[in-house]
Amino acid sequence: MPIRLSQLFLRTLREDPADAEVNSHRLLVRAGYIRRAAPGVYTWLPLGLAVKAKIERVVREEMANAGAQEVFFPALLPREPFEATNRWTEYGDNLFRLQDRKKADYLLAPTHEEMFTLLVKDLYSSYKDLPVCLYQIQNKYRDEARPRAGLLRGREFVMKDAYSFDLTDEGLTASYRAQRDAYERIFTRLGVDYVIVKADAGAMGGSASEEFLSPSPIGEDTFVRSPGGYAANVEAVTTVAPEALPINGLPEAKVHPSPNTPTIETLVALANKDVPRTDGRLWNAGDTLKNVVLALTSPEGKRSLVVVGLPGDREVDAKRAEAAFSPNEVEPASEADFAANPELVKGYIGPVKNGQQVLGIKGSSKIRYLLDPRVVDGTAWITGANEDQKHVFDLVKGRDFDADGVVDIAEVRAGDPAPDGSGPLELARGIEIGHVFQLGRKYAEALGLQVLDENGKLVTVTMGSYGIGVTRLVAVLAEANNDEKGLIWPEAVSPADVYVVAAGKDDHVYAAAEQLVAQLESAGKTVIFDDRVKVSPGVKFGDAELIGVPNILIVGKGLEQGEVDLWNRRSGERRSVPLESAVAELVK
Amino acid sequence: MPIRLSQLFLRTLREDPADAEVNSHRLLVRAGYIRRAAPGVYTWLPLGLAVKAKIERVVREEMANAGAQEVFFPALLPREPFEATNRWTEYGDNLFRLQDRKKADYLLAPTHEEMFTLLVKDLYSSYKDLPVCLYQIQNKYRDEARPRAGLLRGREFVMKDAYSFDLTDEGLTASYRAQRDAYERIFTRLGVDYVIVKADAGAMGGSASEEFLSPSPIGEDTFVRSPGGYAANVEAVTTVAPEALPINGLPEAKVHPSPNTPTIETLVALANKDVPRTDGRLWNAGDTLKNVVLALTSPEGKRSLVVVGLPGDREVDAKRAEAAFSPNEVEPASEADFAANPELVKGYIGPVKNGQQVLGIKGSSKIRYLLDPRVVDGTAWITGANEDQKHVFDLVKGRDFDADGVVDIAEVRAGDPAPDGSGPLELARGIEIGHVFQLGRKYAEALGLQVLDENGKLVTVTMGSYGIGVTRLVAVLAEANNDEKGLIWPEAVSPADVYVVAAGKDDHVYAAAEQLVAQLESAGKTVIFDDRVKVSPGVKFGDAELIGVPNILIVGKGLEQGEVDLWNRRSGERRSVPLESAVAELVK
């Protein structure tokens, strides 16, 4: 049966919804695919459900091809398994928590590592049972601080999440590869542009990890790529540390007054005026060492400070900092933090060495001091003197100061070298559509998933987890496929194969259109049929463009000449063809 | 691709799970269809998912045939719409409530009347848009006090819920009929035995309401039916009030001591000894008027008492009382209630007339007094004298006492007359599998769903709601189709059409089985294939019986004679057929 617009539960909108920030959100609401029910929570209308179902079918087929088996977990889960892995706490405010009538703690699952681990533990006990890969397509919940962009970052959303279970690391690598290959097939079949980038594996406690990003100017993820094929999200880019330099012969450090230098620029200007370099070159921002105070909050709510020294021409990248300090939350130190730690002289913070005063630099802070990887032994810096309105010059790492460790959280910039030597990086934005992850044994250890190996010895299973944002894909596809008139779906996900418009008032237009619809359906095509009698052709064409089925068949005034129009929504090409060949053209 | 037992994520169990009370639960767990994740919350394993998917497919097809359109709502919903209909409060402890990070109130939806109403209000505005019927198949949440019997009463479960929207009462009747007819087709196709019974419509505020019950000894619902075709659940049975009797000439009421009569039986014995009837008959329990004190708790938590007078040979039926006093919760009055209301002389409570003392009967309670419909004017009773150790005899309704109203909460008994005169009732137990409901305008009024009629006048829409318990149906089907060996699925819901067992060790057994599996799949049959090489035929046959696919094909030792075995799981019949005709037999 065709979807008849005379019956379809649909109301297209001329106006953009007030809360829509991006094209996909705007158009999916206007074209009647989704409606907002609460912030970050959406209702699927019939057309939206059709697109979602097509994506799910492709995902299921490729999961089956990859040997993964479908199961279905509850979304409402007890606290205990998440307590065992500490994620009950680590998830912080992102987790929806609730209690049942007996005051037992529950959560709405943001992901299901724990439950899959426990299920395999429940059913399996021998190496002969492995490998196994399980998946589900299921509603997930995350209490996002800022749900945005419609389906792109929702609080209730559909994910395909898969989990592999292997005895050995080689097995995990193979399972990971099988899912990664399936993801490539899925995104290719769906017509989604994607880049595979190295991802930061730290937070999940695993080893290898890659993200599938769909390049998009509205993407929340920044990633880098090099001409030689390196690609990573910014959190995962590692900075190549330069070689250490010889310390012998470097000028001595000296403190110099530096009033009115609130910024790196003013400091550099003062330096070039008052303390010119002996080698004739000019000081620049990269010669300064900026010491940034960050406040870390652990999942348990414990707050601590850390000082990070990095070249003054780089800012701290918030996402890289979050990744590096995960599971802590990171924010700039507050006025209260500075007030509580008077040794941190705001604007003039300098390094310390072994917690001791360095030269004329005051302070012996107990606060952890970390350095950017570029700050290697033998590099000399202009930096704060830990004293108001004073800086120190020619302070040499390895001679005058040291750090408690290295932290790689400075921003990545276009032109930075790829860590694998494959050339300068370029930056782009993308939307995360998939994530493949070698979890390793973290969850199996926490939850006691062991099996007997060939020798009757208990061994801990190694796991992978693999996610695709199903509802997010609807938005990604809408975002990448639209124009000012509306959506333009790739054929693989279009809510129908053909959109038939009966344009006119005469009964024979509708009769001819009905016949064509029946023929198309006999040929296996799904059809949306605009059979509304009292709607003008102009409105019908507008709705057709808005709804975005790629192939449109117009039955209208050409009918008297025995012709109908084929309209390619993507190219805009519209041409008349004989009535009797229309179906053949659309089926071929 | 067949489901291969060598690969399938499955572990059949020999032992019953400790918490399983009923056959369906026991067998669905043992045969590897489901696993418990928390009380009333289940995980679906691959076989279970296959059965559930088959049910969902039938439901979708029949919803489409009935003209209903599929949508999909969030399960996580904001409080406000449920506040507008008062259900945020009325649901009491059955509702899972939670707060997001901004402390906004949310709930996990137990049903979606409010959201569908608001969605139609959002999209539609004219009589031309109606009627429309929408449905979803979706996870629902109810914090049941006693989750039990596996999938039969869970806290997270899948429902198909549909909602119709009409302009007129006649339209609602037609929409209701279309869904009711679809339900009959669905249950018939699925092979579910069902009875349609009149249901109590009170709680939902609507008018007509019917339940689809599947008769089962483990059912929680009691229903009645008459030889003439009347059927109702006990909550909906109305008692036929007898004709009033003449009051003139009845003996005067008199108070009589009645020590040591804690029960109706002891009271009747004392009456026949001390106060014999003047007409020579014996007193019996039906001549006594028992006054029961009930405590009602409103959704807002307000507690009040009510006294209900009913013939002493009947008990109060808890479910009928819950329905009659809904949305209040009902429980017997507590000792504290009696202590706080000393006019209620426990064991000797009598009626009052206009709140006044009746004859020698003390007390002028402000507590509401309601009577069973059988207590009509002119009936004379033995009842409490509102005085310790005293009863009153020949107290006549309409002469000596009256009530504030009638309430029909006495138990229904086999042999009671059907209210429509269609004969004596018999009682049976059933499991509710569907519910169709004419809601009327309650929700549309509460949420302001109005459309313009032909005359440009705003009219309030009338609604129906229609539910099927999808996951419960899996349990109902399992409960009705099993034997001591395991499950026996109806073909329409079996996880596969054919279950092929390769029974033996020889390679050619497996090769022949593989060929048969391929032929069956080419003929459009879905197959589970027990291809496990190291498992004995006995274990394989046991698993086949436990898993319960109705048609089993055994490839084993008969192969040397060119024969395989067809095994009908339901009848137990097992017969040899020539290898080359096996597929044809199974396909026909």
Side-chain angles (χ1 to χ4, degrees), chain A residues 482-493:
Chain A
N482 67 68
D483 60 17
E484 70 285 356
K485 305 280 183 58
L487 297 160
I488 314 169
W489 293 108
E491 299 207 354
V493 298

Side-chain angles (χ1 to χ4, degrees), chain B residues 32-85:
Chain B
Y33 285 76
I34 58 170
R35 273 287 190 289
R36 197 183 88 134
V41 180
Y42 287 85
T43 301
W44 293 80
L45 304 187
L47 291 180
L49 216 50
V51 173
K52 179 165 159 278
K54 285 208 167 179
I55 294 173
E56 290 176 355
R57 191 175 319 140
V58 170
V59 170
R60 284 202 170 89
E61 286 171 7
E62 294 302 342
M63 283 297 109
N65 286 340
Q69 302 182 54
E70 188 170 2
V71 297
F72 190 79
F73 275 87
L76 179 68
L77 295 179
R79 168 177 177 160
E80 290 70 25
F82 286 75
E83 195 66 69
T85 58

Side-chain angles (χ1 to χ4, degrees), chain A residues 264-301:
Chain A
I264 297 290
E265 289 71 36
T266 49
L267 175 61
V268 169
L270 175 137
N272 282 320
K273 189 163 71 71
D274 292 3
V275 199
R277 287 178 70 126
T278 51
D279 61 5
R281 288 198 296 124
L282 285 178
W283 297 111
N284 63 47
D287 296 316
T288 68
L289 181 68
K290 176 163 60 181
N291 293 292
V292 177
V293 188
L294 299 174
L296 309 184
T297 308
S298 78
E300 292 78 15

